[in-house]
Amino acid sequence: MVNKNQLLRRLLVLGCLLLLCFGLAGGQLVQLQLVNGESYLRRSAEFLTTTSTVSAARGEILDRYGRPMVTNQTGFSLVLIYASFWEDNESRFETLLDLANRVKADGAPDTADTAEGDATDGGEDTTDTTDTTASDSGAVLNDTLPITETAPFEYVGESGSSERNSLSTYIKDSAETLGLGAVQEAVAAAQTANEQNPQYDADGNEIDQVAALDATTVISASEFISAMRSYLEENAGMPTGLSDTDARTLVGLYYSMRQVNFSNSTTFTLADNVSMDLIAYIKEHHQDYEGVDVESEAVRQYNTTYAAHLLGTVGPMYAEEWNGTDNGGPYSEKQGYTMNDTIGKTGLERALEEYLHGTAGSRTMETDLGSGAALEDETNSSAPQPGDNVITTIDLELQAVAEESLANYVSGYQRGGAAVALDPNTGEVLAMASYPTYDLENFNRDYDEIEADSRSPQLNRATQGLYPPGSTFKVLSAIAALEEGVIDANTTFTCTGVFELGGQKFACNNHDTPMTLDVTQAIKYSCNTFFYNVGQRLTGEHLEDWCDRFGLGNVTGIEIDESTGHAAGPTYRDIMRKADPTLREWQGGDDVNAAIGQSDNAFTPLQLANYMAAVINGGTLYKPTLVKNIKTYDYSDVVEESEPEILGTIEFSDATWNLVMQGMNEVTAEGGTAATTFADYPIAVGGKTGSAEMTENRDGVEINYTNGLFIAFAPFDDPEIVVCVVGEGAGHGSAVAPVVRDIFDAYFAEEEPDTVESVQAENTMVP
C-alpha cells in the first residue's frame, strides 16, 4: 500500500512537471507575441501563403493487348485568382475578353497563335497543326454555357442533358434578379401544380414540377443572353456597346465562373491546353494580366482516332453534377473532388470515373509581395497520385477494321449503322462501332457541328440505338416454337408468298417460288410464311417470355450507357396503351408480325449479338463487358480482374440447338440469304440475315425505309466470335454482310501481339 508521504511526493513531482509545461508554453507565447511579434506581423504583410489543388493525371485506357488508346501528357492552363483578377479590378471584363479572344485564336484550327499580335485581328499564321502535342493541339476555353457562340443564339444540346439542366436551374434561381417574368410565372404555376395537381413517376414517387420545369423551354437563348448582358452592364461593370459575339463570350464566362463558385476560396480555370507561345506572352506582359496564373496539368492525349463512343469524353464539372445526382454526382460528397475538376462525361471515362480520377495533391506557395518571388513550401505540399489504368477487352486493330468497313458500306445510305463483335464464350466485346462517329481530340472544337448533324453522331448506336430485329429474330422464334411443342423437326408449311389471317394478308417475298419448308429450310430462306404460322400458334405472350430469357428488351449491364429496348407482346402493348389509349389491344395479327421480328420489337445491336451468342454457346447468357482488368497507375498491381459473369441460362434441347444451327449454317451456303458473301469463305460461318421496315416522321412527312441486319459467327463448329451489323436504310442483311466478312478477315488473320504488361505512367506534380 502506498503511504501518505509517497503520495505527497508523487503529487509534488506531477505539479512541478505541469508548471514546467505551462512555463514553456508561456515562454513560447512571449517569444511569438512580444519578442518576435513585430517581425511576424511584418512578414505576414510582406508574404502571402496560398494553397492550391494539384489535379491528378487520369488513368490510361488501353486495348486488350496493351496498345494505348487514351494516355496523358503535360499541358498548361490559365487560372484566374479571384482577389487579384476579379475583386476591385475595374478592367476585369476588358482583360477577360482579351484573354478569351487570345485563347480562341490559340485553339483555332489551321491558324497561328496570335499572342504576339492583336488577338482580335487574326495575326500571322505560324502554327504547324500537324503537331498533336499538348502545347500545340489547341487551347480550350472553359465556357460551359450551352448556347451558340454567335447570333442568332440557340441552345446547344438536348433538353434534359447535364448542361441544359444546369442552365435551367441557374435561370430559375436568377429569374427575379434578371427580370425574367415568363420564368417567374412558369415557376409559380409549377408550384401551384405541386399543390393542386401532383404528378407521379412510374414508381409512384411524386414529381417536383418546379425542379422538372426546363426553363430553357420558357425563354429563348437570345432572351437569356440579353437579360444577362443588361444585368452585367448595370451591376458588374461590363462595358456597353460590345458586339453580340463579345457580349456572349463574357456572359458565358461569367456564367461558368458562377457554376464553380469563383471566389476567394475557389479559383477559375479559364482555359486548358494553352500553347507555350500564349503562356510566354502572358508572362511577358504580366503587368497587364494581374491575377492570371499558369498551372501545369495532365491533358488527355488520344492515341487512336477510333472507339470514340466507347472511350468517351471528359469535361468540366457542372453544378448539377457537383450538387445533384447528374452523371454520378453529387461530387461534393466524394472525397478528392473540387468544382474545378475535369470528370468523365460519356463512355468508359464516365463509367470508370472512380478508378480513372486519381487522388489530387496540393501545392502551398509563399509569395514575397515586394519582389513577387514565389517559393513552394514542400512541407505543406503533397504530390497527386494518378488514377488507375483500364485495360479494355477491345482489340484496337479489329476496332479499326469494324469502323472503316461500317462507314464504307453504310455511309451511302445517308443514315447510320452499328457493328458489335463479341466473344460468345465470355461476353467480352472485341469491337464495337457506331456510324457516324466523331474525333475525340477535336470534340470540343467541333461540338456545334456534331450537335447540328441530323444523323446524331454522338449516339452510340451499338448500345443505344433501337432497331426491329427483322428476320434475325426468327432463330429465337424457332427455338421458342420447338421448345413449346408447337412445331417439331418434321413440321412443314407451304409458302405461296401470301399468308392470310382474319381477312388480313401478310406477304413473304424472301424466295422466288412457292415452297414447302421445315424449320431448318425456313431459317435458310428466311421464309416469313413459316414463321407467320409459328407466331399464330406460339402467340406473343410466349414470344415475349423467350425474349426475356435471351435478354432481348433488357439492359445487358455493359459498363457504358445503353437503351433497354422492348419485346413485342401483350405486356408491352398494355404499357404503350397507358401512355396512348388510342392504340389497339394486342391481336392475332401482332402475333404473326412479332414472330418475324416486326411489331413492337426493338433491340440494340449489342442485345442482338448477345442473344445470338447465347444461342450458339448452348444457352449461357453472359453479361457483355468492355473491361478486362484495372491496374494501379504504375501497372504494378491488379485493382480489379474481370471474370465472365453469367446473367442466366436458357434451357433448350440438343435437338432444338442442332436444328437452328443447321439452318444458320445453310444461310451462308449456296442458296442461302448470305451465300454471295460467304459461300466460298475459307472458314465455315453461320448466321442469319434480316430486313426490318421502318417509318420515320420528318417535318410532318412520313418516310419509309428498310434496315439491313446480319448476325454471324465463326468458326461454325467452335465459335470464337459473333458479329451483329445493322445498316440503316441498307434494305437487306446481304448489304451489310461484307462488314461481317471484313471483321472476320481481320480477326482470323491477326496474329495475337504480345500483351503490354507495364507502361510507364507520368506523375503530374510538376514544379
Side-chain angles (χ1 to χ4, degrees):
M1 177 179 288
V2 178
N3 61 37
K4 188 174 181 180
N5 290 334
Q6 288 177 316
L7 182 62
L8 289 174
R9 282 196 297 271
R10 291 179 182 180
L11 289 173
L12 182 62
V13 171
L14 179 61
C16 291
L17 288 174
L18 289 173
L19 287 174
L20 179 62
C21 291
F22 282 122
L24 290 173
Q28 189 65 25
L29 286 172
V30 170
Q31 183 78 8
L32 289 171
Q33 295 289 335
L34 300 179
V35 179
N36 296 322
E38 185 177 348
S39 173
Y40 284 123
L41 179 63
R42 185 170 60 254
R43 181 176 179 82
S44 67
E46 294 174 353
F47 289 84
L48 175 67
T49 300
T50 58
T51 300
S52 59
T53 299
V54 180
S55 298
R58 291 180 70 81
E60 299 177 338
I61 305 177
L62 294 77
D63 88 335
R64 67 188 297 114
Y65 301 119
R67 291 176 289 219
M69 300 170 78
V70 184
T71 55
N72 300 296
Q73 56 187 341
T74 300
F76 298 93
S77 58
L78 295 180
V79 177
L80 305 185
I81 312 300
Y82 185 83
S84 49
F85 182 87
W86 194 261
E87 198 172 38
D88 300 325
N89 181 0
E90 295 182 357
S91 62
R92 54 182 174 264
F93 280 105
E94 290 88 343
T95 306
L96 187 62
L97 181 60
D98 172 67
L99 282 169
N101 285 332
R102 292 183 185 280
V103 169
K104 289 179 181 179
D106 192 49
D110 300 322
T111 60
D113 173 81
T114 57
E116 292 296 345
D118 185 350
T120 61
D121 64 8
E124 181 182 352
D125 189 348
T126 60
T127 301
D128 179 5
T129 58
T130 62
D131 190 343
T132 59
T133 61
S135 59
D136 296 320
S137 62
V140 179
L141 191 66
N142 188 9
D143 181 347
T144 60
L145 180 63
I147 293 178
T148 53
E149 295 184 3
T150 57
F153 299 115
E154 295 179 357
Y155 293 115
V156 175
E158 296 182 357
S159 177
S161 64
S162 295
E163 300 92 332
R164 291 282 290 273
N165 284 341
S166 294
L167 177 55
S168 175
T169 300
Y170 182 86
I171 292 173
K172 288 183 286 189
D173 292 344
S174 308
E176 183 176 354
T177 301
L178 298 177
L180 299 172
V183 176
Q184 291 177 277
E185 292 175 6
V187 169
Q191 290 171 336
T192 301
N194 277 340
E195 299 170 0
Q196 301 179 1
N197 185 28
Q199 301 291 316
Y200 300 90
D201 61 21
D203 297 323
N205 300 313
E206 185 173 348
I207 298 172
D208 184 345
Q209 296 180 65
V210 175
L213 172 66
D214 184 356
T216 64
T217 64
V218 179
I219 62 168
S220 68
S222 294
E223 288 173 320
F224 174 73
I225 294 294
S226 178
M228 284 288 289
R229 180 174 185 171
S230 297
Y231 171 80
L232 293 176
E233 288 175 350
E234 296 169 7
N235 299 281
M238 190 173 89
T240 59
L242 295 174
S243 68
D244 287 343
T245 300
D246 286 347
R248 157 63 185 85
T249 296
L250 292 178
V251 166
L253 291 175
Y254 180 82
Y255 167 82
S256 303
M257 291 173 180
R258 292 291 302 273
Q259 289 294 95
V260 300
N261 192 31
F262 183 40
S263 62
N264 280 319
S265 60
T266 305
T267 59
F268 174 67
T269 302
L270 176 68
D272 294 304
N273 203 22
V274 295
S275 71
M276 291 302 298
D277 288 339
L278 181 53
I279 291 172
Y281 181 81
I282 298 295
K283 292 292 188 182
E284 183 180 346
H285 299 81
H286 64 90
Q287 69 278 4
D288 298 325
Y289 299 105
E290 186 178 358
V292 180
D293 196 10
V294 177
E295 292 186 358
S296 62
E297 61 178 351
V299 178
R300 264 335 208 183
Q301 176 176 332
Y302 299 100
N303 304 84
T304 177
T305 58
Y306 302 107
H309 295 94
L310 307 184
L311 298 172
T313 59
V314 295
M317 190 181 303
Y318 295 110
E320 292 294 313
E321 295 158 337
W322 178 251
N323 295 313
T325 58
D326 283 13
N327 199 17
Y331 283 92
S332 59
E333 299 178 2
K334 297 183 180 183
Q335 188 174 1
Y337 284 90
T338 69
M339 289 188 72
N340 268 324
D341 273 351
T342 294
I343 60 173
K345 295 288 187 174
T346 61
L348 289 173
E349 292 277 18
R350 172 181 172 178
L352 303 177
E353 170 68 24
E354 63 177 304
Y355 297 102
L356 293 168
H357 182 71
T359 303
S362 65
R363 180 185 289 115
T364 299
M365 301 295 294
E366 191 173 70
T367 304
D368 187 326
L369 299 179
S371 66
L375 181 66
E376 181 177 352
D377 180 358
E378 296 185 1
T379 303
N380 293 311
S381 298
S382 61
Q385 179 174 303
D388 298 322
N389 301 312
V390 175
I391 290 79
T392 70
T393 61
I394 295 297
D395 179 338
L396 189 53
E397 292 186 4
L398 197 66
Q399 179 73 23
V401 170
E403 291 194 28
E404 291 173 3
S405 182
L406 183 68
N408 183 41
Y409 284 100
V410 308
S411 59
Y413 303 112
Q414 301 298 309
R415 292 184 179 275
V420 178
L422 290 176
D423 181 337
N425 304 303
T426 63
E428 291 185 354
V429 178
L430 305 175
M432 181 182 285
S434 180
Y435 176 85
T437 185
Y438 52 89
D439 181 4
L440 277 173
E441 185 164 357
N442 296 309
F443 177 76
N444 290 316
R445 187 194 72 189
D446 300 337
Y447 184 77
D448 289 347
E449 180 181 343
I450 293 170
E451 275 290 316
D453 192 329
S454 61
R455 299 172 301 166
S456 302
Q458 288 197 72
L459 177 69
N460 182 1
R461 286 167 161 81
T463 63
Q464 295 173 295
L466 291 176
Y467 303 95
S471 295
T472 63
F473 188 78
K474 291 173 180 175
V475 175
L476 183 144
S477 295
I479 293 173
L482 289 164
E483 290 299 302
E484 296 289 343
V486 300
I487 64 170
D488 60 28
N490 299 315
T491 301
T492 61
F493 296 108
T494 299
C495 176
T496 61
V498 177
F499 173 82
E500 293 191 31
L501 178 66
Q504 187 176 1
K505 294 182 178 181
F506 299 85
C508 176
N509 302 312
N510 294 337
H511 43 89
D512 297 331
T513 60
M515 302 178 72
T516 298
L517 311 95
D518 60 20
V519 66
T520 298
Q521 294 167 320
I523 292 173
K524 173 180 180 177
Y525 294 109
S526 198
C527 177
N528 283 353
T529 296
F530 185 95
F531 288 99
Y532 289 146
N533 280 280
V534 163
Q536 181 185 12
R537 289 158 174 75
L538 189 60
T539 75
E541 183 178 356
H542 286 97
L543 277 172
E544 63 185 7
D545 173 55
W546 280 89
C547 282
D548 184 63
R549 300 186 199 188
F550 278 99
L552 294 176
N554 300 323
V555 292
T556 67
I558 196 169
E559 292 82 3
I560 59 178
D561 287 345
E562 61 177 328
S563 299
T564 304
H566 39 82
T571 302
Y572 182 67
R573 181 62 60 84
D574 287 346
I575 294 173
M576 294 174 66
R577 281 172 50 77
K578 288 179 180 178
D580 183 3
T582 63
L583 290 175
R584 58 177 172 76
E585 294 181 347
W586 187 264
Q587 298 176 356
D590 296 303
D591 289 332
V592 301
N593 265 329
I596 66 165
Q598 291 284 170
S599 185
D600 302 328
N601 283 314
F603 312 121
T604 67
L606 175 62
Q607 288 177 358
L608 291 172
N610 208 37
Y611 127 71
M612 187 60 72
V615 171
I616 63 179
N617 70 28
T620 302
L621 185 68
Y622 287 102
K623 175 183 175 180
T625 182
L626 288 161
V627 180
K628 200 164 186 65
N629 56 56
I630 299 174
K631 295 187 176 182
T632 54
Y633 73 94
D634 59 358
Y635 293 90
S636 60
D637 293 307
V638 175
V639 176
E640 186 171 311
E641 189 77 47
S642 180
E643 297 291 340
E645 182 177 340
I646 297 175
L647 298 176
T649 302
I650 307 103
E651 299 291 340
F652 52 88
S653 68
D654 290 343
T656 293
W657 186 81
N658 287 327
L659 286 170
V660 297
M661 290 294 285
Q662 181 183 345
M664 289 193 287
N665 186 29
E666 295 185 12
V667 165
T668 60
E670 185 177 352
T673 54
T676 55
T677 303
F678 286 104
D680 297 323
Y681 201 68
I683 298 172
V685 174
K688 185 70 191 79
T689 56
S691 302
E693 297 175 356
M694 301 290 293
T695 299
E696 176 185 346
N697 191 303
R698 184 178 296 178
D699 299 327
V701 178
E702 192 172 276
I703 301 173
N704 297 311
Y705 61 95
T706 302
N707 292 338
L709 303 93
F710 187 44
I711 312 177
F713 54 91
F716 180 82
D717 293 329
D718 186 16
E720 298 176 16
I721 182 173
V722 56
V723 178
C724 173
V725 179
V726 177
E728 298 173 7
H732 192 272
S734 59
V736 295
V739 179
V740 177
R741 182 195 58 210
D742 288 347
I743 293 173
F744 284 170
D745 285 347
Y747 177 83
F748 291 108
E750 185 179 86
E751 292 185 6
E752 185 173 304
D754 293 333
T755 301
V756 176
E757 292 294 338
S758 179
V759 180
Q760 181 65 42
E762 180 182 5
N763 191 318
T764 58
M765 187 68 174
V766 180

